[in-house]
Amino acid sequence: MIKAILIFNNHGKPRLSKFYEHYSEDTEQQIIRETFHLVSKRDENVCNFLEGGMLIGGSENKLIYRHYATLYFVFCVDSSESELGILGLIQVFVETLDKCFENVCELDLIFHVDKVHNILAEMVMGGMVLETNMNEIITQVDAQNKMEKSEAGIAGAPARAVSAVKNMNLPEMPRNINIGDISIKVPNLPSFK
Amino acid sequence: MALKIVKGSIDRMFDKNLQDLVRGIRNHKEDEAKYISTCIDEIKQELKQDNIAVKANAVCKLTYLQMLGYDVSWAAFNIVEVMSSSKFTYKRIGYLAASQCFHESTDVIMLTTNQIRKDLSSPNQYDTGVALTGLSCFVTPDLARDLANDIMTLMSHTKPYIRKKAVLIMYKVFLKYPESLRPAFPRLKEKLEDPDPGVQSAAVNVICELARRNPKNYLSLAPLFFKLMTSSTNNWVLIKIIKLFGALTPLEPRLGKKLIEPLTNLIHSTSAMSLLYECVNTVIAVLISLSSGMPNHSASIQVSFSRHAHTFSLKYLGLLAMSKILKTHPKSVQSHKDLILQCLDDKDESIRLRALDLLYGMVSKKNLMEIVKKLMLHVDKAEGTTYRDELLTKIIDICSQSNYQYISILVELTRLEGTRHGHLIASQMLDVAIRVKAIRAFAVAQMATLLDNAHLLTGNTQRNGICEVLYAAAWICGEFSEHLEEPMATLEAMLRPKVATLPGHIQAVYVQNAAKLFATVLRGQEGAPADSTVAQETSQLLIDRLPLFVQSSNLEVQERASCILQLVKYIQKLQQKDVEVAEEVTALFAGELNPVAPKAQKKVPVPEGLDLDVWINEPPSGSESEDEGRKSKGKAVFAKDESRHTKPRYTEVDEKELAKRREVRKAEQANNPFYIKASPSSQKVYQDGVGVEHIPVVQIDLSVPLKVPDQYVKLEEERRERNKADKKKKKDKKKREKGEKGRRRRGDSGPESEEDITPAHMVDIVTEEMPEWIDLRFISPLILLSLSLAPHLQVCDIQGNLQDGSQVVVSVIFENKCDSFIKSMEFNVLDSLNSKLQRPDGAGPHDGLIVPFQLPPGISNEARFIFSVQNIVMPQKLKGTLTFIVKTDDSSTHEKLDFKLHFTCTSYLITTPCYSDAYSKLLESGDLKGCSLKLEGVNQPFHHLLARICFHHHFSVVERIDSCASMYSRSIQGHHMCLLVKTADQTVSIDAKCDEPGLLGNVLDEIKLTFSQC
């Protein structure tokens, strides 16, 4: 079982948090902070596993993480999950994000956290892995987006126009934010697809 | 109609959407909290509108804020509204919000049952999908029970997308509603052979999770899984199946044999490292369960695997796997010793710890020295305290497998600074020196050097645990002093003035062993023909140095030092008369401590006619144990000392002695006219022990004399309370008013408490300290936080909130009254013996808690802190500090605020209803002690009075007849408290009963105070 999925950036700002067990908001923030501290002090070229994040923790659980450019993707899992399997799953997740957002960068995750949630929901459901096939995930996500667009229809047009104008007003917006290497590089991993 | 929709969306254009919110937050980095609070206000407005699109937008924003740590549970009902929208777009937003913030105690969940059922049977597969996804996150036992059938139907839906989700969610349903497992299982098993790989994978997932909980029941599925393993190409499914087999093989060895071949095939054919690793892992499990042959087989796989380990992750996993092999086939791992030792140099701590674990398992007689030498090298290099401490424990563990040369290693270890394992090293030193005769001479020499260089170890006694080894060193030098080459020098080293800075228990050992050394030195000096002045000089040295210890604040040290000082003075007198004393002095410490094998006792035959299970005399009655606490002071000290010395060696004798003493005491009591028999109810408190005098003997640990166990303080407190209550009964009613005042100063060992109570030594010291933390001024009946000066912050309100037996929740409202922004607040309280602030795991006892919010000017917010309280009998005050940073436009300053936290006894009471029949039964039981209170000049209506007691002191009215009422309350530790309140002519009399008189007294005092304030 996956206990929690966290995405945060190099400064510990949460970009997505999904807990499959209930915690109070304060505890959740504490878990994110603590996990960030554990993960961020590790070197780039050490192993991707960490035992005993204290809060979600217990000795049963492991943190499995990957670091892509400005973002950390952290999965907290129990002993029933295969360590390398989950590493592969993170890779699939990031590749899927890359396809859906067309060259994903941190800003996509910042402004469209709802979409990221929807993509994640097609991969992991209630802490269990639902689908590992990237094409299948993308097909389902696209179909749902299409439905959303058709529902918006005529009524949606003005809203879309306004939001386009709003974004037009701020063309400098992404450039203002200095996040260095913006796009997340997707390294090749020999593991599963 | 269409026009209206368009108009609605035009209005909507000007609302903030999620992107605007995110952008806004990013533009307001300085005053984020303030900006968000205005956004939340906007959202609240939006939620009040009828337009579902506006609501959905608002809920979407709330979901984002939830991620940032804001509690959005107040919008739960609006979330349900959005969930029930007919449009997929909004429905999805609603379900996402619900999955993020609903949980079992969200009460609106029960409103969703029908909506979810409708969505599950929707013709649109994505409506169903989104409902299933949401449900998987917030399913409750009720929802599981109500919807189990609907989900079961979906398991055979025509669309594989729905089927796989339905199959997967069944696991969650099983967890919440186990009864559904039996009817659903056949269908679940069917799904293992579903044509769609996604559904298949989901079914494997669910069954693997179930099997992990209870592998036995799923053995029958093994053939099916075996088939899947050979046919499936989905790596994820294969990994799951192989992991499952790993769990099943220990239960069914025949399975293992069958598995080996397909697994080896997979290992050779797969390119996915994850699958390879799981295969190897299962092969290991299989081999272990077969526990025969083929170790070379596994080893060869393992070797190739760990050589492969370029990547760091694989190295870690390789080590993990090796430790599994090690348990059964240590030899096959032995050959990789060099590889593992290399891993110790790795910069990753995870890998180093794994390697260390492995090394520990690999140690044998032959390679012990080599490995230990290597490890010692690493100890020098190691940074990071956790790793170094781990390394140290491992070395000690390894070494304790063999005795020889061990001492020198231990001495070596003491050179390390900053380790917490001083105690462990000390006990190992003692252990070896006592057990192994041959090594004593060497050990003593080493210890003497250690004592001589003691100043190197004691750089920082408070933080440095290593000075514990001096304890062992002093004892070994004293006990085996005949092996010392220069006893005189060692004696001198032990009596240096610097010793006085060591912890008390070590000083005590120093003093005692100095006496032993003295004996040895005397014998040496008197044996030699040299003149007797040398011996006299030695005595003089002791007489000069010992007074330093006599002044020690530590009882143990003081006691021993003064005893020995007198002895030495006497010896000196004899010496001046030219009497040979050495023999007699040595006789004081004669007798050697021999090691006894743990099983030796079994070899002693039980004498005929002795039945060990029969009581030597009847177990003590309550009155007797009550009495034992009241022994005279001199006797208590004597008894304590004696039993401390004899107990470890002659337990049986001790028992008989006790019995004898008990008889004597009984006779004494019978003849003593002043002896008051205690009530039988007190028996409960002492039921478990054989007698009270066991408590000090067991509890007071020689090594930590100053730290009095809380339990004992509590017992002592209780006993005093009882004594006082007994005494009070005798006094007439008018005097009682006066007595009350005395009672309040219970912590003080004033004349009142001393006249008839003679507590044991240890406790007195603690009670002397008590006034510091029991300050009995009442400020309010509620827990109150009083602040000295609060320029920036004000604490408005505190509510005592009570939970399980020993926890008290304190809610503190922080209000920012100044014009600047306040952040980084840290709340800290100085723990007392009795009350402790609960800090997260891993935090030290002096660390503060970070208040999880920041305060813009004029904003207030509430934080909760949990305290654990052991003894609730008396009110308490805790001192604390709040540190925070005040940020103005151009600068920020660090500020500190001191405060006191006041726990009154009332705050430990919980309003509990009680029925009159149960109430009268309680009163009849006779377990309760009484106490009463009279209030003059109360001129308020009786029902106001009752309401006041109920509100301020958490009581509930049981029965009320005219101007008389009975009331009841319970403490968090289950003490019953009954009040009978009567009123006549502005006088209120309260008769109270409780099974804990101390608590009762304090609560009555607090009630009195409430009425004196009005």
Side-chain angles (χ1 to χ4, degrees):
Chain A
M1 284 272 283
I2 299 169
K3 297 294 167 75
I5 296 174
L6 306 173
I7 305 178
F8 42 75
N9 72 358
N10 287 347
H11 305 289
K13 288 253 187 231
R15 296 302 176 213
L16 175 124
S17 69
K18 183 90 204 166
F19 289 87
Y20 294 104
E21 276 165 10
H22 174 71
Y23 296 99
S24 75
E25 275 76 15
D26 290 346
T27 326
E28 287 184 3
Q29 293 302 309
Q30 216 174 328
I31 291 173
I32 295 173
R33 267 199 303 274
E34 193 200 49
T35 314
F36 169 68
H37 280 301
L38 280 177
V39 169
S40 63
K41 69 176 181 208
R42 290 172 65 82
D43 272 350
E44 271 308 300
N45 43 6
V46 297
C47 73
N48 304 52
F49 315 122
L50 256 179
E51 280 166 59
M54 264 172 289
L55 279 164
I56 316 184
S59 52
E60 258 273 270
N61 295 350
K62 274 194 182 130
L63 295 176
I64 297 172
Y65 73 95
R66 288 194 100 137
H67 189 195
Y68 295 94
T70 57
L71 294 173
Y72 284 99
F73 288 72
V74 185
F75 280 46
C76 178
V77 301
D78 68 11
S79 62
S80 74
E81 298 295 344
S82 149
E83 290 91 347
L84 291 172
I86 293 292
L87 269 187
L89 189 72
I90 298 178
Q91 180 73 13
V92 172
F93 183 32
V94 175
E95 283 181 31
T96 313
L97 289 177
D98 198 48
K99 285 257 167 67
C100 292
F101 285 109
E102 287 162 13
N103 268 335
V104 66
C105 70
E106 193 185 340
L107 285 174
D108 294 318
L109 270 72
I110 295 173
F111 286 103
H112 302 284
V113 67
D114 48 342
K115 286 188 185 152
V116 182
H117 267 296
N118 293 337
I119 295 167
L120 185 61
E122 295 303 320
M123 289 182 67
V124 180
M125 192 175 119
M128 315 239 288
V129 177
L130 179 69
E131 185 60 70
T132 52
N133 182 339
M134 187 164 63
N135 294 330
E136 173 70 18
I137 298 168
I138 292 174
T139 317
Q140 302 298 351
V141 171
D142 284 348
Q144 290 177 46
N145 288 345
K146 218 173 265 170
M147 232 174 96
E148 201 175 278
K149 268 186 194 145
S150 72
E151 272 184 358
I154 314 165
R160 278 208 302 277
V162 167
S163 106
V165 170
K166 278 177 185 165
N167 280 334
M168 224 156 58
N169 282 341
L170 297 163
E172 71 277 21
M173 180 255 314
R175 262 146 242 151
N176 264 348
I177 302 145
N178 185 12
I179 52 167
D181 183 7
I182 285 181
S183 76
I184 296 169
K185 275 188 209 139
V186 182
N188 284 325
L189 196 80
S191 75
F192 68 72
K193 262 177 199 169
Chain B
M1 181 64 194
L3 199 70
K4 197 180 163 193
I5 295 172
V6 172
K7 189 173 170 290
S9 35
I10 288 174
D11 287 343
R12 228 181 71 196
M13 299 189 305
F14 301 104
D15 291 340
K16 272 192 203 124
N17 63 12
L18 175 62
Q19 280 76 32
D20 297 327
L21 174 75
V22 175
R23 204 172 288 133
I25 293 175
R26 291 167 70 86
N27 289 339
H28 290 79
K29 282 221 170 77
E30 294 304 308
D31 49 350
E32 193 179 298
K34 194 181 170 193
Y35 179 76
I36 289 178
S37 68
T38 55
C39 286
I40 289 182
D41 289 340
E42 275 172 32
I43 290 171
K44 280 183 182 162
Q45 288 305 318
E46 285 168 26
L47 287 176
K48 279 180 195 152
Q49 292 184 32
D50 284 336
N51 191 336
I52 192 73
V54 177
K55 269 188 191 166
N57 184 37
V59 165
C60 184
K61 287 190 276 183
L62 281 180
T63 314
Y64 181 77
L65 292 179
Q66 195 270 346
M67 182 179 82
L68 297 185
Y70 289 83
D71 179 22
V72 298
S73 53
W74 48 269
F77 186 75
N78 302 104
I79 292 173
V80 175
E81 280 179 314
V82 175
M83 273 163 74
S84 51
S85 156
S86 57
K87 276 195 180 173
F88 171 73
T89 318
Y90 305 144
K91 197 185 284 297
R92 185 156 76 165
I93 292 172
Y95 272 106
L96 175 62
S99 74
Q100 290 294 85
C101 66
F102 281 12
H103 50 94
E104 279 194 17
S105 50
T106 309
D107 40 9
V108 293
I109 276 194
M110 57 188 187
L111 303 177
T112 59
T113 317
N114 280 324
Q115 179 58 40
I116 295 174
R117 184 173 285 143
K118 210 174 113 196
D119 288 336
L120 289 183
S121 53
S122 157
N124 182 342
Q125 63 165 335
Y126 291 114
D127 281 353
T128 317
V130 121
L132 284 171
T133 309
L135 187 62
S136 72
C137 288
F138 59 80
V139 61
T140 63
D142 286 343
L143 281 178
R145 190 193 58 226
D146 296 340
L147 297 172
N149 270 328
D150 302 75
I151 298 171
M152 276 235 283
T153 343
L154 290 180
M155 280 167 77
S156 14
H157 198 272
T158 50
K159 297 231 166 71
Y161 179 74
I162 300 297
R163 280 209 304 273
K164 73 180 177 192
K165 286 198 166 190
V167 168
L168 209 53
I169 204 178
M170 276 322 272
Y171 178 64
K172 289 278 179 168
V173 175
F174 296 151
L175 281 188
K176 300 286 176 185
Y177 179 59
E179 286 89 337
S180 59
L181 180 55
R182 199 167 286 275
F185 194 72
R187 199 171 286 183
L188 188 62
K189 201 171 141 188
E190 242 169 58
K191 295 298 151 205
L192 282 176
E193 292 172 299
D194 196 277
D196 184 85
V199 181
Q200 215 178 46
S201 151
V204 170
N205 247 337
V206 171
I207 291 181
C208 286
E209 284 292 340
L210 289 171
R212 209 167 65 93
R213 289 177 175 248
N214 188 0
K216 240 185 230 162
N217 294 355
Y218 300 89
L219 265 179
S220 62
L221 291 178
L224 203 59
F225 277 120
F226 197 78
K227 212 173 97 193
L228 267 178
M229 183 170 80
T230 44
S231 63
S232 175
T233 52
N234 182 337
N235 281 347
W236 184 262
V237 172
L238 283 173
I239 288 174
K240 282 279 170 190
I241 294 176
I242 289 166
K243 268 190 100 91
L244 176 67
F245 276 132
L248 291 181
T249 38
L251 302 170
E252 179 56 69
R254 279 175 301 172
L255 191 61
K257 276 182 196 151
K258 271 193 169 180
L259 279 172
I260 290 284
E261 206 201 317
L263 282 178
T264 345
N265 285 343
L266 266 176
I267 288 172
H268 289 303
S269 63
T270 185
S271 62
M273 199 48 92
S274 48
L275 183 57
L276 175 63
Y277 171 68
E278 294 304 335
C279 286
V280 171
N281 241 342
T282 304
V283 168
I284 294 166
V286 168
L287 290 174
I288 288 171
S289 73
L290 291 176
S291 70
S292 65
M294 295 198 279
N296 297 326
H297 188 89
S298 82
S300 65
I301 296 165
Q302 203 56 49
V303 175
S304 69
F305 194 65
S306 44
R307 293 248 167 89
H308 249 269
H310 319 291
T311 8
F312 304 92
S313 300
L314 292 183
K315 215 182 216 173
Y316 171 82
L317 294 173
L319 290 171
L320 202 66
M322 270 200 196
S323 65
K324 283 185 192 155
I325 305 184
L326 185 75
K327 281 177 200 144
T328 47
H329 303 294
K331 272 189 190 149
S332 51
V333 182
Q334 208 73 268
S335 48
H336 306 301
K337 197 178 67 204
D338 293 336
L339 197 74
I340 296 167
L341 282 171
Q342 266 174 32
C343 288
L344 277 180
D345 290 326
D346 203 286
K347 59 182 164 181
D348 186 354
E349 199 168 297
S350 300
I351 290 179
R352 285 199 306 251
L353 284 174
R354 283 273 150 246
L356 197 59
D357 263 356
L358 267 179
L359 274 183
Y360 174 56
M362 285 164 56
V363 169
S364 69
K365 264 187 189 157
K366 278 180 203 160
N367 60 15
L368 179 116
M369 276 323 286
E370 188 195 340
I371 289 183
V372 170
K373 264 182 203 157
K374 283 257 169 65
L375 288 180
M376 293 296 286
L377 274 180
H378 279 281
V379 173
D380 291 337
K381 279 189 276 175
E383 325 119 21
T385 47
T386 42
Y387 173 62
R388 195 162 71 173
D389 280 345
E390 183 71 26
L391 203 55
L392 216 69
T393 10
K394 283 280 146 61
I395 293 178
I396 292 172
D397 282 353
I398 291 173
C399 292
S400 59
Q401 292 173 4
S402 87
N403 299 315
Y404 303 94
Q405 306 223 345
Y406 182 25
I407 289 282
S408 53
I409 289 168
L410 287 175
V411 172
E412 196 107 315
L413 286 178
T414 58
R415 286 210 220 108
L416 296 165
E417 262 182 55
T419 163
R420 280 175 282 132
H421 290 290
H423 199 73
L424 185 63
I425 297 177
S427 67
Q428 286 295 324
M429 282 177 172
L430 288 174
D431 187 54
V432 177
I434 294 169
R435 274 195 294 140
V436 191
K437 262 189 187 166
I439 211 165
R440 280 178 197 163
F442 177 68
V444 167
Q446 291 280 331
M447 294 301 127
T449 359
L450 203 62
L451 282 178
D452 204 36
N453 299 327
H455 57 279
L456 293 177
L457 299 176
T458 54
N460 186 350
T461 28
Q462 293 309 310
R463 283 173 53 217
N464 201 340
I466 205 73
C467 62
E468 287 288 332
V469 297
L470 292 177
Y471 176 95
W475 190 85
I476 292 172
C477 283
E479 186 68 23
F480 306 116
S481 50
E482 65 270 18
H483 297 293
L484 272 177
E485 283 172 16
E486 288 177 77
M488 193 57 207
T490 311
L491 181 62
E492 209 276 320
M494 278 170 77
L495 292 170
R496 278 179 204 150
K498 218 170 169 212
V499 172
T501 57
L502 289 174
H505 64 283
I506 298 178
Q507 282 186 50
V509 173
Y510 263 69
V511 172
Q512 186 74 14
N513 286 289
K516 288 185 200 168
L517 266 177
F518 176 60
T520 323
V521 173
L522 271 188
R523 199 161 62 170
Q525 286 167 342
E526 285 183 3
D531 55 341
S532 62
T533 48
V534 186
Q536 285 190 31
E537 272 167 24
T538 318
S539 311
Q540 193 55 44
L541 175 76
L542 253 73
I543 292 169
D544 289 345
R545 299 283 175 85
L546 278 174
L548 177 72
F549 296 100
V550 175
Q551 290 160 10
S552 167
S553 63
N554 187 302
L555 278 181
E556 192 69 36
V557 179
Q558 190 194 4
E559 195 178 31
R560 290 187 186 202
S562 56
C563 182
I564 289 165
L565 182 63
Q566 293 312 318
L567 186 71
V568 176
K569 278 183 183 164
Y570 181 67
I571 290 169
Q572 202 187 25
K573 254 185 223 165
L574 289 177
Q575 280 174 335
Q576 280 158 358
K577 291 176 195 159
D578 277 342
V579 182
E580 296 242 323
V581 285
E583 280 305 313
E584 284 154 45
V585 178
T586 321
L588 275 178
F589 305 106
E592 196 185 348
L593 193 56
N594 277 323
V596 179
K599 287 175 188 165
Q601 181 66 43
K602 280 187 195 158
K603 290 183 182 163
V604 180
V606 178
E608 232 175 279
L610 174 64
D611 187 346
L612 289 174
D613 295 331
V614 167
W615 286 97
I616 294 171
N617 60 315
E618 286 306 301
S621 70
S623 65
E624 197 185 331
S625 48
E626 169 80 2
D627 157 71
E628 274 168 306
R630 275 187 215 186
K631 279 178 311 191
S632 73
K633 194 171 188 169
K635 197 169 180 185
V637 170
F638 176 64
K640 197 178 69 193
D641 266 0
E642 186 182 54
S643 41
R644 186 175 57 227
H645 293 315
T646 54
K647 207 190 164 197
R649 283 182 223 176
Y650 320 103
T651 338
E652 262 181 295
V653 177
D654 198 33
E655 280 295 323
K656 280 176 198 160
E657 282 258 332
L658 281 180
K660 226 185 272 172
R661 257 182 261 147
R662 229 171 263 139
E663 291 299 350
V664 172
R665 217 173 9 256
K666 264 188 184 172
E668 247 176 12
Q669 278 165 30
N671 298 331
N672 187 349
F674 300 110
Y675 180 72
I676 307 159
K677 286 262 187 261
S679 60
S681 68
S682 59
Q683 192 177 350
K684 269 190 228 157
V685 183
Y686 299 117
Q687 251 165 4
D688 315 340
V690 183
V692 166
E693 68 203 278
H694 272 261
I695 296 165
V697 172
V698 178
Q699 295 291 344
I700 296 172
D701 186 351
L702 235 182
S703 58
V704 277
L706 246 187
K707 194 184 153 204
V708 176
D710 300 336
Q711 196 188 349
Y712 185 49
V713 177
K714 197 166 150 189
L715 280 178
E716 185 66 20
E717 284 295 331
E718 279 172 6
R719 195 175 54 75
R720 287 180 178 205
E721 290 311 314
R722 242 192 319 281
N723 283 345
K724 248 175 260 169
D726 284 354
K727 231 172 52 186
K728 286 232 158 54
K729 277 181 195 163
K730 294 191 293 184
K731 291 185 179 171
D732 82 34
K733 275 191 178 176
K734 280 180 186 170
K735 276 186 183 169
R736 200 171 293 151
E737 289 283 326
K738 277 186 190 169
E740 216 89 69
K741 273 178 197 160
R743 283 166 64 84
R744 283 205 198 168
R745 331 194 85 242
R746 199 170 3 88
D748 210 328
S749 55
E752 200 218 17
S753 49
E754 251 173 30
E755 65 190 25
D756 60 344
I757 311 159
T758 47
H761 246 157
M762 299 305 188
V763 178
D764 250 352
I765 281 200
V766 171
T767 45
E768 267 165 29
E769 282 172 5
M770 273 179 181
E772 275 180 31
W773 49 277
I774 307 170
D775 182 350
L776 290 168
R777 276 176 304 134
F778 295 117
I779 298 170
S780 143
L782 283 178
I783 298 172
L784 201 112
L785 193 69
S786 61
L787 288 171
S788 45
L789 259 175
H792 304 293
L793 282 178
Q794 205 172 42
V795 177
C796 299
D797 189 14
I798 291 189
Q799 295 126 20
N801 188 356
L802 305 162
Q803 284 178 355
D804 107 281
S806 61
Q807 280 193 354
V808 178
V809 180
V810 176
S811 324
V812 182
I813 294 177
F814 296 86
E815 187 180 3
N816 184 355
K817 288 244 167 169
C818 68
D819 297 325
S820 313
F821 193 82
I822 288 181
K823 59 177 197 175
S824 308
M825 286 187 279
E826 207 170 320
F827 180 91
N828 200 2
V829 165
L830 207 60
D831 288 350
S832 70
L833 279 179
N834 194 21
S835 319
K836 291 186 173 63
L837 177 61
Q838 285 195 357
R839 296 173 167 91
D841 292 345
H846 306 296
D847 293 354
L849 287 184
I850 292 162
V851 180
F853 47 77
Q854 309 179 333
L855 289 177
I859 300 289
S860 66
N861 204 342
E862 180 188 318
R864 288 179 168 200
F865 303 96
I866 301 174
F867 286 81
S868 62
V869 179
Q870 293 205 331
N871 184 359
I872 62 162
V873 173
M874 55 207 166
Q876 292 182 59
K877 248 185 194 179
L878 293 183
K879 281 183 190 164
T881 49
L882 184 76
T883 55
F884 52 91
I885 293 174
V886 181
K887 211 178 159 199
T888 51
D889 287 343
D890 44 3
S891 68
S892 59
T893 49
H894 215 93
E895 298 277 1
K896 198 180 125 188
L897 205 62
D898 290 320
F899 59 84
K900 272 185 186 167
L901 202 57
H902 196 107
F903 291 83
T904 57
C905 282
T906 296
S907 56
Y908 302 126
L909 296 181
I910 310 171
T911 316
T912 320
C914 183
Y915 295 106
S916 54
D917 46 352
Y919 189 79
S920 56
K921 235 179 234 168
L922 194 65
L923 287 179
E924 278 162 20
S925 69
D927 284 344
L928 309 181
K929 297 268 166 57
C931 193
S932 60
L933 176 71
K934 223 170 215 159
L935 300 167
E936 306 280 350
V938 180
N939 49 1
Q940 41 184 288
F942 190 55
H943 64 272
H944 277 188
L945 187 107
L946 290 186
R948 213 167 239 285
I949 297 178
C950 288
F951 175 72
H952 287 299
H953 298 284
H954 312 163
F955 276 86
S956 62
V957 178
V958 180
E959 225 173 354
R960 185 189 158 185
I961 303 158
D962 298 326
S963 61
C964 182
S966 50
M967 308 178 87
Y968 175 78
S969 183
R970 252 182 83 175
S971 79
I972 53 171
Q973 289 179 356
H975 303 297
H976 303 286
M977 191 166 287
C978 307
L979 294 187
L980 186 66
V981 186
K982 288 182 214 160
T983 177
D985 300 328
Q986 299 200 347
T987 310
V988 180
S989 73
I990 299 176
D991 280 300
K993 284 196 167 180
C994 175
D995 39 10
E996 180 46 67
L999 181 66
L1000 179 63
N1002 286 315
V1003 170
L1004 284 186
D1005 286 353
E1006 284 163 26
I1007 291 179
K1008 199 172 156 192
L1009 200 87
T1010 313
F1011 285 100
S1012 69
Q1013 279 171 348
C1014 62

